[in-house]
Amino acid sequence: MSNILFKAKQRFFQRIFGVKGLLYGLTFSCCMNLGIPSATAAQTITIRFGPYEQLVKISDLEEFANTGKLPLSLQGLSPVLPKELRGFLQKRLQIDPQAADNFTDELQKTSFGREFISSLRTALPGSSIESVQGAISLALRQVNGLSVVGFLQAYPQENVTIDATKAISLAVRFNPNRLQSKAFGSLLARELYVNNQTYSSQNLRNFNPAITGNLAVEKQSITLQDKKRNRTIPIDIYSSRVRQPQQPLVVVSHGFGASRRNLSYLARHLASYGITVAAIEHPGSNISAINQAANAADLKNLISPEEFINRPKDISFLLDELAKFNNQPGRLQGKLNTEKVSVIGHSLGGYTALAVVGGEVNIEQLRIFCNKSLNISSAPGDWLKCAAASLPQRKLQLQDPRVKSAIALNPMVGKLFGEKGLSQINRPVLILSGTDDSLTPALTHQIQPFDKLGGKKYLLAAIGGTHLSISDDRLPANSATQMIKERRGIEARALRELVQGVSVAFVKQLAPDAKNYQPFLTSAYAQSFSTPQIKLRLNSELPASVRPWLKLTNR
């Protein structure tokens, strides 16, 4: 996603915060049901906003959350109370009872978790790390889910002071889904580790698909015109100079606000193994389209709802056109196997890949999520996908039968496919998930969707990987990487190399030499690329110990 997405969310924050942000920061930074009676629990909170202070009873907040009626003690604040406040107070971080006891421990094992708890402490002047940790633990043990009121009621002193300015800052930096994913990351690294396999340099001495192949690569740029839909679609085609007619064709779909060149390194790498790659640019969600929407104050207005239909249709249109090129005299003749296609997509392109390989989009269930659960603490990917909620259809089936497999890199999924839409996919899918992804948080956008997939599947987990870790490090960093920490460049080099190797091995499963590449779709191969910054795992199923965490969903 481009820096436009971040800027839009900044404007959204600025529009809502100001004095009205006083209680927004409170509602998010105090975590995420109600009612934890205790003799030593907090009874009141003091909201501090610069020189301004207001004493509020926690029971009044609870009454407002339950009934929507503003108590007398809060009526003085009514001019600055945002209308969405009640929804924030009601919102929970859902914790399955089997996983609740481990949640705080797992969170504290991560640097992100320690940073969150430390930041939460600064928003509560006079608090200690022990008191913050204790309140979170108590709230989790006593109720199935953590809320603002639940946290405050578990706090071990009669009055809690909230520094609203710092709380607002904390709300911008953290969101519940990301907290879930980070706590989940340390568990994932441990539970997905395979200790009875090794992959030494000896294994890779003669052959390693992560290393550039032997075939020279050429690039050809073409602009296609879809007159029926009035779309101009540029493509870059990467191919070897030697025709490989039995090899599959790969289509690369970029993310929101990106371009067809964002994964050019991967396209060239695949082509060096005889796989022809067509990198497509989607005109409704590329850099140009997003720059035109730069002044949108609502993230849902950054993209047309129809783009969720048009993107998969772009793939089908492309395949129709490439089939013609394949039969015409020229450089591309015989290189475009449009009947055996694998789609690789990043972020919004990951959604595109999953839709075109057979996932059924469920607009009806997405609409429910967007109406009831979307709020200021939601991840940017959640805001963006809710643009599709205004589509009139209940469900969408956008599959193209020519697409035989898909790779979804940090895909934007969430509730786009509902509860059962991904189970309709009966073709091989590989999903990459980065546990430090703040744009499309791992648990809700990748891990849970992976578990719902039908057919053969692989989960490539990058513990410590971010949303842009697999993007081409030759492309310049933008302001997005300054606003949200991204692991790119040297830090993520091993991950990009693994993505190269695994992508070749995965796509080659559609080729006659598939058997030669199967050993590279294993846990041991992935783990051999792990670094202290990013631990790497590759699994076809989630272990039983991880499954209770799949219920850690904000509803």
Side-chain angles (χ1 to χ4, degrees), residues 55-77:
L55 187 69
V56 177
K57 292 181 180 180
I58 295 176
S59 59
D60 286 346
L61 284 180
E62 183 178 6
E63 179 184 346
F64 174 60
N66 288 335
T67 66
K69 182 179 179 182
L70 204 62
L72 183 63
S73 65
L74 287 174
Q75 288 179 2
L77 287 174

Side-chain angles (χ1 to χ4, degrees), residues 144-419:
N144 181 19
L146 186 62
S147 71
V148 176
V149 176
F151 171 85
L152 293 173
Q153 290 179 325
Y155 200 81
Q157 62 186 50
E158 291 187 1
N159 179 267
V160 184
T161 299
I162 307 290
D163 186 322
T165 302
K166 292 180 180 178
I168 292 170
S169 175
L170 183 61
V172 174
R173 291 165 54 202
F174 298 92
N175 65 68
N177 285 341
R178 193 177 178 211
L179 280 176
Q180 292 171 339
S181 296
K182 293 292 293 188
F184 186 61
S186 65
L187 176 72
L188 210 60
R190 184 175 67 249
E191 296 300 321
L192 294 184
Y193 182 78
V194 178
N195 58 15
N196 61 349
Q197 298 184 46
T198 58
Y199 222 102
S200 66
S201 57
Q202 182 68 31
N203 298 107
L204 303 175
R205 181 169 298 173
N206 297 323
F207 182 50
N208 180 3
I211 297 174
T212 304
N214 297 324
L215 298 175
V217 176
E218 56 185 14
K219 172 185 161 185
Q220 183 175 355
S221 296
I222 301 173
T223 299
L224 303 175
Q225 297 290 340
D226 186 342
K227 295 180 180 179
K228 290 183 179 179
R229 295 183 301 142
N230 192 28
R231 285 169 78 85
T232 300
I233 301 175
I235 60 170
D236 290 336
I237 297 180
Y238 302 82
S239 62
S240 65
R241 294 176 183 174
V242 180
R243 285 181 173 85
Q244 304 284 329
Q246 291 185 297
Q247 296 297 317
L249 171 71
V250 167
V251 176
V252 175
S253 173
H254 63 77
F256 174 75
S259 79
R260 64 191 184 278
R261 297 189 173 96
N262 277 63
L263 291 176
S264 58
Y265 78 95
L266 181 57
R268 286 189 176 276
H269 185 81
L270 289 163
S272 74
Y273 282 84
I275 300 166
T276 300
V277 180
I280 188 172
E281 188 147 331
H282 300 282
S285 48
N286 60 358
I287 294 175
S288 299
I290 303 310
N291 286 338
Q292 293 173 9
N295 294 321
D298 190 329
L299 292 182
K300 291 183 291 185
N301 295 331
L302 279 175
I303 185 172
S304 166
E306 286 73 24
E307 188 67 7
F308 289 85
I309 299 175
N310 278 325
R311 277 178 148 258
K313 287 188 174 182
D314 287 344
I315 306 291
S316 295
F317 171 76
L318 172 64
L319 296 182
D320 291 340
E321 295 300 301
L322 293 184
K324 299 174 186 177
F325 282 111
N326 193 59
N327 294 318
Q328 295 173 356
R331 292 163 58 187
L332 296 175
Q333 186 177 25
K335 293 183 178 181
L336 304 166
N337 187 355
T338 56
E339 294 303 316
K340 191 177 288 185
V341 180
S342 185
V343 176
I344 299 177
H346 176 241
S347 192
L348 184 57
Y351 152 77
T352 307
L354 292 171
V356 80
V357 82
E360 183 179 70
V361 182
N362 193 315
I363 301 300
E364 188 174 34
Q365 290 186 13
L366 174 67
R367 196 175 294 123
I368 293 172
F369 167 83
C370 297
N371 289 339
K372 293 186 176 181
S373 301
L374 190 67
N375 58 63
I376 201 67
S377 68
S378 298
D382 290 317
W383 279 91
L384 189 65
K385 75 172 188 276
C386 282
S390 61
L391 288 169
Q393 297 90 339
R394 292 178 62 250
K395 295 181 180 180
L396 295 169
Q397 180 51 259
L398 301 165
Q399 181 180 13
D400 190 308
R402 293 169 290 188
V403 178
K404 308 301 183 185
S405 66
I407 297 177
L409 305 169
N410 302 96
M412 187 184 78
V413 181
K415 300 294 183 182
L416 273 167
F417 296 93
E419 294 301 318

Side-chain angles (χ1 to χ4, degrees), residues 108 113-121 129 132-133 136:
Q108 292 177 79
R114 293 189 293 272
E115 180 188 359
F116 170 73
I117 291 174
S118 176
S119 298
L120 182 55
R121 182 188 170 195
I129 291 179
V132 170
Q133 292 175 345
I136 293 175

Side-chain angles (χ1 to χ4, degrees), residues 18 85-86 119 227 234 328 353 423 426 430 523:
L85 175 61
R86 185 187 177 198
S119 298
K227 295 180 180 179
Q328 295 173 356
S423 65
N426 57 11
L430 185 149
S523 302

